[in-house]
Amino acid sequence: MSSPNELFTQPLAVINIGLQIFAEALQVQGVSCVHVDWRPPAGGDADLMAILARLNS
Amino acid sequence: MKNIIDKANQEAYERIDSAQVFLTDIKYAREVLPTLTEYVIGHAGPPIAWPDMCGPMQGAVIGAIKYEGWADGDDEAMSLIESGRIRFVSNHSMGAVGPMTGMITMSMPLYEVLNETFGNRAYCTFNEGLGRVMRFGANDGEVVARLQWLEKTLAPGLKKALMLSGPINLKVIITQALAMGDEMHQRNIAASLLFGRAIMPYLTQVDMGSEGAKIVQFILGNEQFFLNLAMAAAKATMDPAHGIKNSTLVTAMSRNGTQFGIRVSGLGDTWFEAKPEMPQGLYFPGFGPEDANPDMGDSAILECMGIGGFAMGSAPAVVRFLGAGTVQDALGYTQEMGEITVGKSNSILMPALNFTGVPMGIDIRKVVETGIQPVINTGIAHKRAGLGQVGAGIVKAPLDCFIKSLVAFNKTLN
């Protein structure tokens, strides 16, 4: 890829991570899109993430 | 740390998976639950005091007092309660469970279920049928008379029939009924009929006098008759998984209509509580969400062992009764529960999911990490005592219970 502009001049294949609404918006426009159901661990709570990291270490 | 916890959870999971549960006898509560002496009432969910009880729970308590003859009427029952004479105890602490309000008192007959693998026993009351029943808070003369009939007529008949039949394998019935479209929480049609098939040849040999036809009709006429047997089976299955050091597996979920609580294998007898969520579902004609009581009952023990909401993918017929969307949604619930459980059953299999085992053994780490809340199929009680069931639906276990237990578990490692 020599230039970012080239990205938008060819068919896109998108991997969407997180909010499904973005994937749906692309699919409505006919853009090929794979959705990955992902959310931050423990809702992004730093204290809980630290506990989980400890228990899963 | 991960390896230590995983090993402890694997042990807990294997105990659940290897359980072999049999209905062995009918016992009166006073015979097997020594806590239940005069003026003591067992209830569903975590421990709760009278002022904090919801309407249906208070109504059921008054009914239980009248049933035992500790008071003649509602006013006398209220005086007894206000005097502090009545003591309340959580069913789970006695090795017992009960649906909805979960009332258990000393004279009530109980199913005795033996977990043959580990030798422990668990108990549950009989299902009273639908309509105006004590588990939904009704307490009038008809309700009390039905309970007395269960005690004095149905229980002796069933006990004699069981002596003739020998122990009835409940895990086999649960497995067969799952393949026939039951999830054993809000759909028990197949399981109830299978139980009827097991007991009827022996019940008909028992001299029941003029009550014989009524007993047969009572057992076969109630599509949820097996629910209480499934609950006792689940309690007997889950108890050996409790008390394993370093295990983060959930061994009980239960609700008293005011608080939702969970117990965790490695965290002793502490209940980790949060406000229950309101069930989402379908209401009977004339009722709506404004009539609903918060989620209630010991029956979420079923989901702990992987049936009920966890097995909804194998019970497509229950989906519309619960207002749970499409069959695909039901499959999605079951698959999602696989994200928060330790393993899958090796014997309770779902034909519709290519004979995959039900997801079994909730891990608090996985719930908190993913934010996926355990899904429970539930009946919806009217918030006013005695009006009974007003619908059925799905409710999710509140995330805060799992967060609190995870924080507590972490502290035990300090």
Side-chain angles (χ1 to χ4, degrees):
Chain A
M1 189 76 57
S2 58
S3 161
N5 287 338
E6 285 183 34
L7 179 66
F8 300 105
T9 60
Q10 55 187 311
L12 291 175
V14 179
I15 299 172
N16 181 70
I17 300 173
L19 294 176
Q20 191 163 3
I21 192 170
F22 293 137
E24 290 168 356
L26 288 169
Q27 284 160 354
V28 165
Q29 296 173 66
V31 177
S32 173
C33 181
V34 174
H35 175 65
V36 178
D37 184 11
W38 181 88
R39 64 191 92 178
D45 184 305
D47 292 339
L48 293 175
M49 286 167 73
I51 292 174
L52 286 167
R54 183 185 185 207
L55 300 185
N56 289 324
S57 64
Chain B
M1 197 66 230
K2 182 178 188 304
N3 288 344
I4 293 170
I5 296 172
D6 286 349
K7 190 176 171 194
N9 285 350
Q10 185 65 24
E11 170 67 24
Y13 157 78
E14 286 174 7
R15 291 188 191 182
I16 300 168
D17 196 38
S18 62
Q20 291 296 337
V21 284
F22 293 84
L23 173 63
T24 52
D25 205 346
I26 306 297
K27 294 278 178 63
Y28 290 100
R30 72 170 82 82
E31 299 176 283
V32 287
L33 306 179
T35 309
L36 290 184
T37 54
E38 212 171 10
Y39 303 116
V40 181
I41 297 178
H43 63 80
I48 187 169
W50 167 261
D52 300 323
M53 290 179 182
C54 64
M57 184 76 85
Q58 291 190 338
V61 165
I62 290 170
I65 290 170
K66 291 193 291 185
Y67 161 70
E68 287 292 350
W70 299 333
D72 273 341
D74 291 15
D75 292 342
E76 205 174 307
M78 279 301 298
S79 299
L80 204 56
I81 295 162
E82 286 164 359
S83 74
R85 189 90 184 269
I86 302 295
R87 194 158 64 85
F88 300 103
V89 58
S90 165
N91 291 336
H92 267 286
S93 69
M94 302 184 287
V97 283
M100 301 308 285
T101 60
M103 295 290 103
I104 307 180
T105 55
M106 56 191 288
S107 302
M108 290 186 183
L110 306 172
Y111 296 120
E112 181 174 75
V113 173
L114 170 68
N115 183 341
E116 205 173 78
T117 312
F118 299 96
N120 62 294
R121 290 174 170 79
Y123 300 90
C124 187
T125 46
F126 291 6
N127 194 289
E128 307 161 77
L130 299 174
R132 293 180 59 76
V133 288
M134 185 180 281
R135 72 177 182 279
F136 287 107
N139 60 22
D140 58 24
E142 182 188 338
V143 173
V144 171
R146 186 188 303 108
L147 289 170
Q148 287 167 341
W149 182 81
L150 296 180
E151 174 195 336
K152 294 183 169 68
T153 305
L154 180 62
L158 267 181
K159 186 179 179 75
K160 288 175 190 165
L162 269 172
M163 294 305 108
L164 295 173
S165 70
I168 294 176
N169 190 326
L170 297 179
K171 192 168 189 177
V172 165
I173 291 181
I174 287 170
T175 303
Q176 290 175 331
L178 192 73
M180 297 163 74
D182 283 0
E183 38 69 270
M184 259 61 67
H185 201 158
Q186 287 303 308
R187 191 176 198 271
N188 275 287
I189 300 171
S192 298
L193 291 173
L194 288 168
F195 177 74
R197 191 180 72 150
I199 199 71
M200 284 305 160
Y202 304 97
L203 198 57
T204 53
Q205 294 178 44
V206 175
D207 180 9
M208 297 177 286
S210 59
E211 291 294 305
K214 189 175 174 186
I215 289 175
V216 171
Q217 172 60 29
F218 190 84
I219 294 172
L220 296 182
N222 176 6
E223 294 177 355
Q224 283 288 76
F225 188 84
F226 191 80
L227 170 66
N228 299 40
L229 283 159
M231 287 174 59
K235 176 67 175 164
T237 296
M238 294 307 299
D239 274 357
H242 193 72
I244 297 174
K245 191 180 178 190
N246 295 318
S247 172
T248 56
L249 187 141
V250 175
T251 50
M253 298 193 289
S254 189
R255 317 82 105 194
N256 55 33
T258 303
Q259 289 287 91
F260 190 113
I262 68 169
R263 294 205 305 180
V264 177
S265 179
L267 289 174
D269 290 335
T270 304
W271 286 96
F272 298 93
E273 300 181 27
K275 285 283 169 206
E277 297 190 1
M278 295 300 290
Q280 303 296 314
L282 288 182
Y283 287 84
F284 300 159
F287 298 102
E290 67 280 6
D291 299 308
N293 197 75
D295 191 29
M296 184 166 57
D298 287 328
S299 54
I301 193 71
L302 298 166
E303 277 76 7
C304 294
M305 69 168 282
I307 52 180
F310 281 43
M312 209 167 5
S314 195
V318 83
V319 173
R320 286 202 166 179
F321 178 63
L322 298 172
T326 65
V327 171
Q328 194 59 42
D329 292 329
L331 289 167
Y333 281 123
T334 294
Q335 286 165 346
E336 194 172 45
M337 293 305 102
E339 300 286 321
I340 57 170
T341 41
V342 174
K344 292 182 168 53
S345 172
N346 283 302
S347 51
I348 306 176
L349 309 177
M350 298 176 286
L353 277 79
N354 202 23
F355 295 96
T356 305
V358 295
M360 187 178 267
I362 302 161
D363 184 345
I364 59 170
R365 291 176 303 171
K366 294 181 177 180
V367 174
V368 175
E369 182 168 352
T370 63
I372 296 172
Q373 299 163 255
V375 61
I376 298 160
N377 291 353
T378 189
I380 305 173
H382 198 288
K383 63 187 176 189
R384 279 172 46 206
L387 293 185
Q389 185 173 2
V390 295
I394 287 176
V395 70
K396 292 189 174 179
L399 202 52
D400 272 356
C401 297
F402 301 88
I403 292 172
K404 286 176 182 173
S405 64
L406 189 83
V407 170
F409 187 88
N410 185 51
K411 283 182 181 162
T412 66
L413 305 177
N414 291 335

